[in-house]
Amino acid sequence: MSESITSPALAGILLTNAIVLTMDNSHNIYEPGAVAILDDHILAVGLEAELKARYSAPLVIDCAGKVLMPGLVNAHTHVPMTLLRNLADDLRLDVWLLGYMMPVEREFVSPDFVRLGTQIACTELIRAGVTCFADMYYFEEHVARATAEAGLRAVCSQTVLKFPAPDAQSYDESLAAAREFIQKWKGHPLIEPSVAPHAPYTCTEEILRATAALAVEYDVPLHTHIAETYGEVEASRAEYGMPVVPYAKKQNIFDAKVLAAHCVHIDEGEIKTLLHNKAGVAHNPSSNLKLASGFAPVKRMVELGLNVGIGTDGPASNNDLDMFEETRLAAFLAKSVSNDPTALPAKTALTMATRLGANAIHQGHLTGSLEPGKRADLILLNIAAVHNIPRFRRDPDAIYAQIVYAGKSTDVTDVMVDGKWLMRDQQLLTLQTDLLYEQANEYARRIDTFLIQREKSILSKLIAIGGAMEEESFEVQTKVRITDQAPILEALHSPQIEILRHRHYHEYDTYFLFYDLQQGILRYREDESIGDDDKISGMRYRLTLIGQARERQFPSDVLLSRSRFIAPASHSLRFYREYFKPAREAEVEKDRLRWRILFQGTEFFINLDRVIKPDLGYFLEIKSRTWSRRDAEHKADIAINLMRFLGTADKETVTQDYLSLAEASKLLEAG
Ligand SMILES: [Zn+2]
């Protein structure tokens, strides 16, 4: 208890005898310093002697030898993904996200999953001295609830995107959920609800505009991913004629209080757009390094006065929530990339991890520095551990270096948020952790089983990435080798055949072969459609899983087959290669004249192919696809008539595809 001459004002808690780093605008340091706290907020910060004279408190805590500073702000994360940590690593962003994270999330993410993942994250965050974070996930209401129960402060952003999500079938649904969530949580002492259009490339213009309008309507932050990869910027330029920031601006995104995660590939003009629109940026060094996304122009952004915070990103792409590590990396990375060891000094890096981060997530009025009126969100650090001694006092900034370059998250001994202790002497006070780990391992076991099952089947892998509808079709097909196209062309123009449509294509096929031939062959096809002027008039990319099931063979080698799963190929050949990991590949290139015709009341496709690579010569193919077996059998009979009509019924037939399973097996053996 303190005593003084004039009657002192009453505080709730007086923290004394500390090295107080305020992280305020002037970077005031007080030693021995003190902080007076009343209820949820800071009354005063200053030298111990002064504060002891001004305040009395029922609780005075001696913080001898410890740094007292604002809690760290994790400016961008996806906390429930603690449950997906170490699930799939060393993959490219698209393969990781679309091939693993999203399919697993669609299957497993539920309110229970989100709650457990958040509790584990809060445990980790509190232990590592984080008092506030900006989250983006599904079922965000449950993130908010678990976070508030743990006593942490957070901006909780409900995700909206163009794909079906674990918590919504459509974007309308998730937008409505976001509105409801914001209405319910707006004004909560710890939680700032927010809306998160996931990224410009995973949203439509309509979603971007609607989420911006929602954020403006309720004056809440809008949280999104911006320009994380170079590919994203290239695609934006190709599609919209501008990079990501101007495109987002065009969709009114910056009418809202934006928190833009990553901003790796942005230029000077885009930095200025962010600045003029008071957007915050979350820099995620570990995630950018691990996913090889590139190097954000952090030094420049900070120089120009942008509020740049530091975030861990989701624990599945980091793989932890350690802001000490992240802050150190941010400083190292900025130096290394700019070839300048004076870039992003420890003091600046720690400011990014505190005050600038709070500003970036639009919570700077509440937290991020130790200043009267702000909420009491603070931590105590033991800087006398062996990895962090001795202490020099000549340079006042040395204390920042001591924390950023030598400090560890395990140095955090005490954490207070909103005036309440969440950890004292490294003992958690708001979370029961013993059951959490067991439950997390139970999820891991179930997810493992799910993925092991899925990885066994090419078809289920295809379905997992939304690559195919789970439906079967029947195909009637015959293919014969010909030497001369002229008789066929002549026959096609006879009155017995009605031509419905004619097209000219150049086709490039890449076949993925797998050791287990039962799985079939996966064909990636690029179709260049050639106009009358011999110029390319369009491109089409398709993925076909060619099954081996040969249902029935008719005279003249007309085949009835099934299990061909066809889907538009919306990703690159590189994506499919890395995702499916074929044992071998084979390429076929051909020039194809294609007709859709009517013969004896039945529709067929006729293809006249010249196979260029490998040089196999000319082929005639007759095809028809149908959903019913009975219809397919009927078509097979007519196909035999059509072959007779075209004069090819007696010709040698070849396999149903240019690469047959027999050939594939030979190739596999050879390889
Ligand atoms: Zn992220």
Side-chain angles (χ1 to χ4, degrees):
M1 288 294 294
S2 68
E3 285 179 32
S4 69
I5 308 126
T6 52
S7 149
L10 191 68
I13 303 175
L14 198 57
L15 302 173
T16 63
N17 198 21
I19 306 159
V20 176
L21 302 190
T22 61
M23 303 310 292
D24 64 9
N25 270 323
S26 319
H27 281 99
N28 281 308
I29 299 177
Y30 302 105
E31 185 179 2
V35 175
I37 296 154
L38 182 64
D39 302 328
D40 60 355
H41 63 279
I42 296 170
L43 280 178
V45 184
L47 287 167
E48 180 187 300
E50 194 187 308
L51 258 68
K52 273 186 167 170
R54 279 168 57 200
Y55 295 96
S56 73
L59 189 61
V60 178
I61 296 170
D62 185 337
C63 309
K66 286 184 181 172
V67 164
L68 169 52
M69 62 173 282
L72 302 176
V73 177
N74 187 342
H76 174 70
T77 185
H78 312 277
V79 287
M81 293 180 90
T82 45
L83 291 179
L84 303 180
R85 156 163 48 211
N86 312 330
L87 165 69
D89 292 279
D90 308 318
L91 298 168
R92 241 175 267 275
L93 178 63
D94 54 1
V95 177
W96 177 82
L97 185 67
L98 303 167
Y100 290 86
M101 291 302 137
M102 286 185 165
V104 168
E105 285 176 334
R106 274 195 292 271
E107 191 72 20
F108 288 94
V109 171
S110 64
D112 174 70
F113 177 102
V114 164
R115 181 178 171 77
L116 178 63
T118 304
Q119 287 173 324
I120 289 171
C122 287
T123 305
E124 193 180 349
L125 288 165
I126 294 169
R127 286 206 173 283
V130 171
T131 53
C132 180
F133 62 91
D135 187 68
M136 177 200 291
Y137 209 59
Y138 312 104
F139 296 109
E140 197 65 32
E141 153 109 42
H142 297 273
V143 175
R145 219 183 278 176
T147 302
E149 283 169 21
L152 279 170
R153 188 181 305 288
V155 171
C156 293
S157 317
Q158 169 66 36
T159 302
V160 184
L161 74 177
K162 67 184 174 188
F163 311 115
D167 58 353
Q169 278 308 306
S170 68
Y171 102 82
D172 296 308
E173 239 179 84
S174 41
L175 195 68
R179 174 179 292 274
E180 201 180 310
F181 168 60
I182 291 168
Q183 282 171 344
K184 197 166 159 189
W185 287 80
K186 180 84 182 154
H188 189 279
L190 292 173
I191 305 297
E192 170 89 297
S194 141
V195 63
H198 176 268
Y201 71 96
T202 51
C203 290
T204 60
E205 294 188 1
E206 194 186 0
I207 296 174
L208 295 172
R209 284 168 185 272
T211 48
L214 181 67
V216 170
E217 185 182 340
Y218 289 94
D219 189 31
V220 293
L222 179 148
H223 189 173
T224 190
H225 294 104
I226 294 275
E228 180 172 357
T229 62
Y230 186 64
E232 180 188 341
V233 180
E234 274 196 318
S236 179
R237 280 188 195 279
E239 198 162 340
Y240 310 114
M242 60 187 97
V244 184
V245 172
Y247 169 72
K249 183 172 162 58
K250 212 173 149 210
Q251 314 313 329
N252 303 336
I253 284 294
F254 295 105
D255 291 358
K257 301 188 286 193
V258 169
L259 165 57
H262 299 297
C263 296
V264 175
H265 300 278
I266 59 171
D267 59 28
E268 182 91 2
E270 291 178 281
I271 295 176
K272 287 184 175 150
T273 302
L274 294 171
L275 186 64
H276 293 148
N277 290 285
K278 300 187 170 64
V281 170
H283 172 44
N284 305 274
S286 287
S287 167
N288 295 162
L289 281 169
K290 184 165 181 258
L291 292 163
S293 305
F295 308 101
V298 174
K299 184 178 168 232
R300 189 64 185 144
M301 289 195 270
V302 174
E303 260 168 21
L304 287 174
L306 206 57
N307 285 316
V308 185
I310 298 172
T312 56
D313 208 352
S317 55
N318 185 307
N319 296 356
D320 59 32
L321 294 166
D322 188 335
M323 279 293 293
F324 277 81
E325 185 183 280
E326 217 64 37
T327 307
R328 176 157 48 237
L329 260 184
F332 287 176
L333 203 55
K335 295 172 195 307
S336 202
V337 163
S338 62
N339 254 325
D340 175 8
T342 69
L344 217 72
K347 188 174 170 178
T348 311
L350 198 61
T351 309
M352 287 168 68
T354 52
R355 177 164 44 84
L356 289 186
N359 291 345
I361 70 170
H362 305 279
Q363 304 301 300
H365 57 296
L366 295 177
T367 193
S369 58
L370 302 181
E371 294 178 70
K374 282 202 181 182
R375 302 295 170 81
D377 295 355
L378 49 87
I379 58 175
L380 288 172
L381 304 180
N382 171 23
I383 53 160
V386 64
H387 58 261
N388 208 341
I389 51 169
R391 179 163 174 232
F392 290 93
R393 292 161 198 263
R394 174 190 52 86
D395 177 0
D397 286 354
I399 188 73
Y400 299 110
Q402 202 172 349
I403 293 167
V404 173
Y405 300 140
K408 294 187 188 301
S409 56
T410 48
D411 298 341
V412 178
T413 58
D414 300 81
V415 175
M416 175 185 277
V417 175
D418 222 39
K420 290 179 194 69
W421 290 112
L422 308 187
M423 184 166 80
R424 285 289 280 141
D425 293 325
Q426 300 199 319
Q427 296 302 308
L428 293 173
L429 303 175
T430 54
L431 283 151
Q432 284 289 341
T433 55
D434 30 345
L435 278 178
L436 301 182
Y437 306 156
E438 214 175 287
Q439 290 167 4
N441 280 324
E442 174 58 22
Y443 265 109
R445 209 183 47 73
R446 284 171 51 202
I447 293 169
D448 266 344
T449 309
F450 166 76
L451 280 179
I452 289 165
Q453 270 321 104
R454 190 195 78 171
E455 302 285 297
K456 274 186 199 158
S457 150
I458 301 299
L459 177 60
S460 51
K461 280 193 86 168
L462 192 61
I463 291 164
I465 52 169
M469 295 294 120
E470 204 166 354
E471 60 188 341
E472 259 188 347
S473 65
F474 294 89
E475 190 166 69
V476 172
Q477 185 190 47
T478 184
K479 188 184 288 172
V480 294
R481 189 187 287 275
I482 55 172
T483 43
D484 190 3
Q485 290 190 327
I488 310 281
L489 289 168
E490 204 186 304
L492 276 172
H493 290 93
S494 57
Q496 284 90 332
I497 288 178
E498 186 187 342
I499 293 175
L500 302 172
R501 194 177 186 187
H502 172 54
R503 283 294 188 93
H504 180 191
Y505 292 104
H506 204 94
E507 292 182 342
Y508 302 87
D509 294 339
T510 304
Y511 292 87
F512 287 172
L513 315 178
F514 304 94
Y515 286 118
D516 176 8
L517 285 169
Q518 304 286 328
Q519 301 269 350
I521 297 175
L522 199 61
R523 185 184 67 200
Y524 176 87
R525 168 169 289 175
E526 289 178 47
D527 261 337
E528 274 176 8
S529 88
I530 312 290
D532 291 337
D533 53 358
D534 277 352
K535 292 214 173 80
I536 298 167
S537 60
M539 293 291 289
R540 193 171 59 161
Y541 304 90
R542 289 205 298 174
L543 202 61
T544 306
L545 181 60
I546 301 161
Q548 61 151 15
R550 185 179 284 200
E551 286 286 292
R552 200 175 145 189
Q553 195 146 359
F554 291 84
S556 303
D557 251 3
V558 170
L559 288 179
L560 175 60
S561 63
R562 60 174 186 156
S563 292
R564 291 172 76 97
F565 296 86
I566 302 180
S570 46
H571 309 307
S572 64
L573 177 59
R574 192 269 306 151
F575 171 88
Y576 295 116
R577 179 179 290 135
E578 291 178 16
Y579 177 65
F580 286 104
K581 300 190 187 83
R584 258 199 97 156
E585 291 181 31
E587 284 179 19
V588 173
E589 183 188 335
K590 61 185 170 295
D591 196 72
R592 167 168 283 183
L593 295 169
R594 183 179 182 85
W595 290 267
R596 185 155 65 89
I597 62 142
L598 209 55
F599 177 77
Q600 295 183 353
T602 303
E603 250 188 56
F604 287 99
F605 281 104
I606 293 187
N607 296 325
L608 268 182
D609 291 349
R610 182 166 71 87
V611 182
I612 302 160
K613 181 186 170 183
D615 188 5
L616 298 175
Y618 293 95
F619 294 86
L620 165 75
E621 190 177 47
I622 295 170
K623 269 184 162 180
S624 194
R625 201 157 182 255
T626 174
W627 307 109
S628 98
R629 187 171 220 289
R630 179 192 283 239
D631 193 25
E633 289 183 343
H634 169 70
K635 283 188 171 184
D637 289 333
I638 312 276
I640 297 163
N641 295 344
L642 180 57
M643 285 179 77
R644 288 194 188 116
F645 182 78
L646 295 174
T648 61
D650 56 340
K651 292 229 167 25
E652 176 207 358
T653 54
V654 290
T655 51
Q656 57 172 328
D657 214 279
Y658 286 105
L659 193 73
S660 68
L661 282 157
E663 284 167 88
S665 114
K666 263 185 258 158
L667 268 173
L668 282 169
E669 275 165 29

